[in-house]
Amino acid sequence: MTTLHHDLAATDAPRTPVTMTTPGSLGEALALLAGGQAAAVGGGVGHTLARQARRPPRATTLVPVASLPELTAVTWSDDHVTVGAGLRLSAVEADTRLRAAWPVVTEAVGSVATARIRRMVTLGGNIAAADDSHDPPVALAAAGALLTVRSARSTRTLRITDAADLRAGELIQDIRLPLPAHGQTGSAYEKFLVRGVWEYACVNVAAVVHLDDSGTVERLTVAVGSVTGGPVLVDLAGLRGGTVDSALTEEAARRAAAGTRPYGDVRGSAPYKSRMIAEFTRRAVTRAALRAAEGAGR
Ligand SMILES: Cc1cc2nc3c(=O)[nH]c(=O)nc-3n(C[C@H](O)[C@H](O)[C@H](O)COP(=O)(O)OP(=O)(O)OC[C@H]3O[C@@H](n4cnc5c(N)ncnc54)[C@H](O)[C@@H]3O)c2cc1C
């Protein structure tokens, strides 16, 4: 479900005073969050207070974290790239090296709302909101991203699909993406909008295909969003070892529709969304396979 909520308190209801405390360091931010009465603020667009009101105790201190150096860096190593959780979606979208490695991520980030909103919101805030219809988490799930999660006491790693397990006092520091293996890897993101203009997805699908030198599928991953418990990684066990043909694409589409549980809402009934999941899985897998064949994802 989307983050645009209508359950804000009435404007004449008594309000608890809220303070904004800007931390000078990551350690200070974590200490503030450990108090239990504080909430992190990324872009601040996702109605942090409204969200916190449903997740008691309600925050009385807001802690802006997007400018902390540990949350704003993009660093590359031989086998992975680490993207700071405080980066604005516009900055993630503009990273040409990331686009070359993981076009699925760039496409998903670039499909969020409008350019003006993407300049305000952060990758970490988008993930921490744990909204099944958000776009970046679907692509990051397909790409095998992991979250570095910090608290005053510990550092742990979470899968994107477990973002809802973030605990009070925890902060997403960065998102770590494995670099595609050498060879022919392609990836693609498909967001289906009912109205055709910017809005939350009716369904969203991300696909990653890796081919070996002979064109045989070594890896096929599909993630589906806007479904219960999403993003959901589809079980495609056994769909390797052949070529990407219509039979394989159809089977991936069938499993994506059968293995996910969309809910009926203003964007469509559950059965309609299941058909759209199948269709957009076909498109995502086909585009990812074309890119893999061209070596576009290398
Ligand atoms: C009009 C509109 C349209 C939108 N359309 C889309 C869309 O099409 N697709 C889409 O994917 N999204 C969409 N969004 C959501 C948007 O992309 C952001 O994800 C969302 O607004 C929150 O991002 P933020 O950086 O503002 O986070 P905030 O509002 O600052 O925080 C959101 C939540 O995450 C927590 N948080 C923030 N940063 C961290 C961190 N580093 N670690 C742990 N917790 C943290 C906060 O405490 C809060 O609970 C839309 C939003 C709006 C307002």
Side-chain angles (χ1 to χ4, degrees):
M1 301 288 179
T2 65
T3 52
L4 300 182
H5 291 289
H6 44 72
D7 55 351
L8 296 171
T11 49
D12 56 352
R15 290 167 184 270
T16 313
V18 176
T19 57
M20 179 86 87
T21 305
T22 304
S25 66
L26 178 60
E28 201 180 317
L30 296 175
L32 284 164
L33 293 171
Q37 295 287 306
V41 178
V45 175
H47 310 298
T48 298
L49 283 176
R51 181 168 297 284
Q52 293 295 326
R54 294 193 304 279
R55 231 192 249 170
R58 190 177 188 274
T60 53
T61 305
L62 298 181
V63 184
V65 296
S67 301
L68 293 169
E70 293 86 347
L71 274 75
T72 50
V74 180
T75 51
W76 293 81
S77 76
D78 286 346
D79 60 358
H80 65 268
V81 52
T82 304
V83 181
L87 280 189
R88 311 288 163 176
L89 294 189
S90 54
V92 179
E93 186 185 2
D95 191 312
T96 51
R97 203 168 163 192
L98 185 63
R99 178 186 295 269
W102 286 116
V104 66
V105 172
T106 305
E107 287 175 350
V109 168
S111 79
V112 170
T114 61
R116 185 173 288 188
I117 290 173
R118 293 196 294 277
R119 278 198 292 275
M120 294 190 282
V121 304
T122 61
L123 189 57
N126 183 281
I127 295 166
D131 185 319
D132 65 48
S133 66
H134 278 183
D135 299 289
V138 179
L140 292 166
L146 296 171
L147 306 176
T148 307
V149 175
R150 302 286 308 270
S151 73
R153 290 192 188 156
S154 67
T155 300
R156 66 181 181 127
T157 301
L158 263 189
R159 287 178 300 199
I160 289 281
T161 46
D162 295 331
D165 295 344
L166 272 178
R167 301 176 194 135
E170 285 188 330
L171 188 65
I172 303 173
Q173 176 179 291
D174 55 53
I175 297 93
R176 187 178 155 128
L177 278 157
L179 293 179
H182 288 298
Q184 297 166 302
T185 298
S187 63
Y189 185 71
E190 292 283 344
K191 177 176 185 177
F192 174 45
L193 302 173
V194 175
R195 294 187 301 167
V197 293
W198 75 269
E199 60 173 340
Y200 284 92
C202 172
V203 304
N204 34 1
V205 181
V208 177
V209 174
H210 180 77
L211 306 173
D212 70 12
D213 289 342
S214 67
T216 301
V217 178
E218 275 190 352
R219 172 185 171 187
L220 174 61
T221 310
V222 169
V224 178
S226 306
V227 293
T228 305
V232 169
L233 281 167
V234 178
D235 183 0
L236 298 176
L239 292 193
R240 293 187 187 109
T243 52
V244 181
D245 54 14
S246 58
L248 180 137
T249 310
E250 275 312 311
E251 180 58 12
R254 190 193 67 74
R255 291 198 201 181
T260 50
R261 286 190 297 130
Y263 37 80
D265 63 12
V266 68
R267 296 178 188 86
S269 66
Y272 173 74
K273 289 185 180 182
S274 286
R275 289 200 296 279
M276 292 305 103
I277 287 168
E279 174 57 23
F280 285 88
T281 298
R282 285 182 199 105
R283 296 185 193 190
V285 170
T286 303
R287 262 193 331 117
L290 280 172
R291 284 180 170 159
E294 291 164 358
R298 278 185 288 181

